[in-house]
Amino acid sequence: MTVETPKEAWTGTVREVTLGATADQGGTRSRTLTVGAESTLPFLHFEASIPNPPALALEIRDRKPDDWSPLLYEAWGDVMDDPAAWAKAAEEAGADLVYLVLSLTTSDGSPNTVENVRAVVRKVLDATGLPLAVIGAGQAEVDNELLVAAAEEGKGERLLLGLCEEKNYRTIVATAMANEHLVQSRTPMDVNLAKQLVILINDMGMPLERIVMDPTTGALGYGIEYGYSVMERLRLAALQGDKMTQQPMIVTPGEECWKVKEAKVGEGVPETWGDWEPRAIAWEGITAAALLHSGANVVVLRHPENMRRTRSMIDELMSSKAAG
Amino acid sequence: MSRYIATHAIRGANAIVQEAEELLERTLKEKGPDTAVAFPNTAYYLPFILGMTGTEISKIGELPPILEHAKKLLSPVPTDSRWLPYLGETLDCGMATLFAEEIIMALKFVTGEQPEKLPGLQLAGSTSFTSPDNGGGPNGNGYLNGPIDDIQLRSWGIQLVDGRMPGFAAIVGAAKSNEVAVKIVRELQRRSILTFLIGSSNGKSIIHQLMEEGVELGYDTFTVPFGTDTESAIYPLGFATRSALTFGGMKGGQAKEILRYNKERVFAFVLALGEVDDLKYATAAGAINFGFPVIADTVIPEILPTGVTTYEHVISMPFNEIEGADDLERAEKLVQKCIEIRGVKVTIAEVPVPVPYGSAFEGEVVRRADMRVEFGGKNSRAVEYLFMDEMDNVDDGKIELIGPDFEDVEEGGAIDLGILVKVAGRKMEKDFEPVLERQIHYFINGASGIQHIGQRDIAWIRISKGATEKGFNLKHFGDILHTRFHSDFGSIVDKVEVTIITDPDMHAEWLEKARAAFNERNVRMGAMTDESVDEFYSCTLCQSFAPDHLCVISPERLGLCGAYNWLDCKASKQINPTGPNQPIKKGTEIDAEKGYFQGVNEFVQVASHGAVQEVSMYSIMENPMTACGCFECIAMVIPEANGIMIVSREDSSMTPAGMTFSTLAGVAGGGLQTPGVMGHGKFYISSGKFILPDGGLKRVVWMSSILKEQMAEQLKAIAEREGEPDLLDKIADETICTDVEGVVKHVTEKNHPALSMPPLM
């Protein structure tokens, strides 16, 4: 008996977005990263075309962070002391995108400065040929100062700048427009808020082809199902033809997972939790895998081992393309 | 369009284009066509020409076609016998003027006449000129600024785009006195408005005036002196053009888009001080193309009809006729007027009160023992009343206390209080008065140590001893309201004035006035029916947790949470145009009684992501409106009594359905249409459209007693209108019974009308 595979005829397509610019395009990247453009749910190759595989980013910092898990210090080693070396290591680990997050302070505890940010961005751009994201420390006033400097330093590189949030997006969008970059919009797990922020950013004159949408996620066991459902609904709306939800999605499972107890704590936890290191890495890896299934186009990771594992999962799921 | 202005502008344009032609011919002859021509430190060539035509000018030889273009835009000066030029011609002449001015200034850079020399001038931050002919120094010592360079354009541009800088003012001419000049600039600086200084009047420029008074000019103080001739007005307009190219993602040649970008996003205006000559009229006509209005402090004809600019085009405000105690006050008013005309929004960040302020304090209770003084409640009367007035009648930021403050009131005592809020705004509507007035409750409650309950003439406010010790006084209510109305409702309200009244006579007078207004509002709200409007509103606020639910809010059916009625939604749409409250065109009426509308169905299908295909606005039995979970009440059919019951959120007792409110909520919520069950707002019960096709209020056989109490008056009125004056007695409540048998018994005993109505099921 043959069973007909039911196919949904979607009318919408996820918008195609390209990060980074090569020398021909006015930048200095050795390659660019294109995400989006699919007209079906993740990995359903039998239904419609999925031209671009989901991409993997590795998060690095402008200086060695104070509060990361010892497992991450162990995994990265000395490169964490130098953002350029770290970026290079991320490239070697197989990242498609270097996700540089700025800190509020420099390593001696004094406030981060425009000069420092310019120097770091320059160094990282020189050290790697990958497209680069530059993300603020998360305080509006500081971000607006530092990101403007980063945007100017990387002019023409089609950086991804963030985070644009409902309360603070105008400065970031303005500097991104003036310096030919893209922006990451972030909203707290809500379909309508995600859509609204895209509209607001677009209203300022930023083309939709330069907006990547971050609907926010939680770690496995810490609200991932809520985030998953929001992403799924955003994607369904996009495929149904709702233009303002058609942005590719980026999420940060690395940041979320490495702050939960299951990943952070090695001692004093129930024995049934198993060994610390494999548990912690699995926590990030499984979260990332789930998010890719809910439609994430870019996931930002912290542990290099998950770069390998997630990549192999994506490769396998994308190779079924031929079988489709 | 004023014929007078048109005549002068067209004459000015013809003259300046001719001057540009002569200068171009002469310079071409002297320097040759291959001589480079450029403004310093910009990648945008001659920016106005680039923006409007897409031509990248780098040599003198490339200028003649631009001049020819300008000439084509000219029209002949209107003769005395011709009465109907003008707007189109005048605006075109304005464009021609700007082309000519940019050509002239570019050529003057070639000949070393720009930037203009002004001995003794030291700028705090300016465009640097690399050519040794142009002063040699990086800081333009002895020179005016000339065009703004690209670095500063980016820095200011970002602030203009993200709103930190509200806009820019181009001041042309000279003020009545040096003192007035300084005041005007200070008023603009105080609001972070960028100030550009241009031109002269009777040989004197505002730049001279400010220099004489020792005012520091330059980038660092947000004041840029471009030149003492009118032609240098091209520099700020070139700046405006470049900001559209840089921040608007536009390309050279997209003239229409660039001009529209400026109209919609760059909040700039021209302030003409002193006599306005032909060239100034012509240049002003150019500025109007950008949507920048012109305000003059002399008598000139006004151009009021709106269109090219957002509001008025040209306003005359003769300086000596401005109301004010002295010239300084007049200067302040002049600036205020400019801001209004251009619609520049100024934001105030902090609420200036001596106690902590934030929404965290909203629910705070001030107990009698901690109370310093109270207004309203049992021992005194408090009234709050917000109303709109004409722009000119509202003095923004004015906070007045009429009568004594509370320091002489004994501890724990009470006095009468009136809070009057007078607002004005371009987008303010009479209908928004109650919407804004209700915010007073939230705004005042935000202050730590202050408790606010109620509204209108039943407001009740307490101030704690702690807040009093920190220095809180009655005027602070005004500070709170002024700040919050601007920050939260800035898109509706441009001006806010607050009067606090404790004086007994005034209080009595205003209480009377307020009550009359409240009464009028009630009547107006009562008269507002679903038939009287073309649009309903959506509310998708709750889709975050009920993804497929939306409320359709009409004048006669408020949101199920009770927090949003039709007017709230209308105001909310003004404040947040892309937000959760969007207008829904009713479209074709399919069934008036059940409330089916083509437009509503179409909207609901999309907004519920296909989950709901049809919705009846008024029926509980057929395609009822869905609910999220925030409903004030749940209505549910009791088939045995051929009626419905209504449970209030505040009623925790058992109901005849065999479930309490919280259990019922699970059945009613989640965005599903369940015939026979419906979540709704409390005041929907008193609406003329309450379950209209199912029989209205006469269908109600059981109702939480708290609803009966809270809505006693309204319900009684409806009962009488329906010819059932004793209806409320016939309706059971939880004090009478909490089971179906009890309801049936009660309605039978009382001969409830539902029993003789057509069967519900």
Side-chain angles (χ1 to χ4, degrees), chain A residues 179-316:
Chain A
N179 296 289
E180 294 140 77
H181 300 309
L182 294 81
V183 295
Q184 175 174 349
S185 67
R186 174 178 277 186
T187 43
M189 295 201 203
D190 183 293
V191 174
N192 289 325
L193 292 180
K195 183 175 163 179
Q196 191 183 356
L197 186 54
V198 171
I199 295 173
L200 292 172
I201 291 172
N202 184 234
D203 272 353
M204 282 184 72
M206 175 61 92
L208 291 169
E209 287 68 29
R210 279 159 61 190
I211 305 172
V212 184
M213 175 167 80
D214 177 356
T216 308
T217 187
L220 182 65
Y222 293 81
I224 193 178
E225 54 283 2
Y226 201 105
Y228 187 104
S229 158
V230 167
M231 288 168 72
E232 195 179 32
R233 279 188 276 128
L234 275 167
R235 186 48 51 87
L236 286 171
L239 296 174
Q240 282 163 0
D242 183 346
K243 293 258 176 289
M244 291 299 174
T245 57
Q246 289 174 342
Q247 304 316 116
M249 293 189 279
I250 184 169
V251 270
T252 52
E255 181 193 343
E256 294 301 323
C257 291
W258 287 98
K259 65 186 179 199
V260 307
K261 194 179 178 191
E262 287 81 348
K264 225 161 75 179
V265 182
E267 284 166 14
V269 297
E271 203 157 309
T272 49
W273 283 20
D275 290 339
W276 182 22
E277 185 170 16
R279 173 188 358 119
I281 294 174
W283 216 268
E284 182 185 36
I286 292 169
T287 305
L291 295 171
L292 288 167
H293 284 89
S294 71
N297 296 86
V298 184
V299 292
V300 186
L301 302 167
R302 279 189 179 173
H303 200 289
E305 169 61 15
N306 276 322
M307 180 56 58
R308 199 186 56 76
R309 291 187 193 178
T310 318
R311 176 77 68 205
S312 110
M313 183 196 86
I314 292 174
D315 286 349
E316 211 164 308

Side-chain angles (χ1 to χ4, degrees), chain B residues 507-525:
Chain B
H507 187 271
E509 182 190 330
W510 276 97
L511 186 60
E512 189 95 348
K513 282 190 197 170
R515 280 182 175 156
F518 298 151
N519 200 31
E520 201 176 299
R521 278 181 203 165
N522 289 346
V523 171
R524 160 134 178 76
M525 271 312 282

Side-chain angles (χ1 to χ4, degrees), chain B residues 694-714:
Chain B
D694 311 313
L697 192 64
K698 283 194 284 186
R699 266 297 176 190
V700 180
V701 291
W702 188 97
M703 185 192 279
S704 295
S705 61
I706 188 160
L707 293 172
K708 283 187 177 175
E709 287 159 24
Q710 287 175 347
M711 304 183 67
E713 250 176 76
Q714 294 108 305

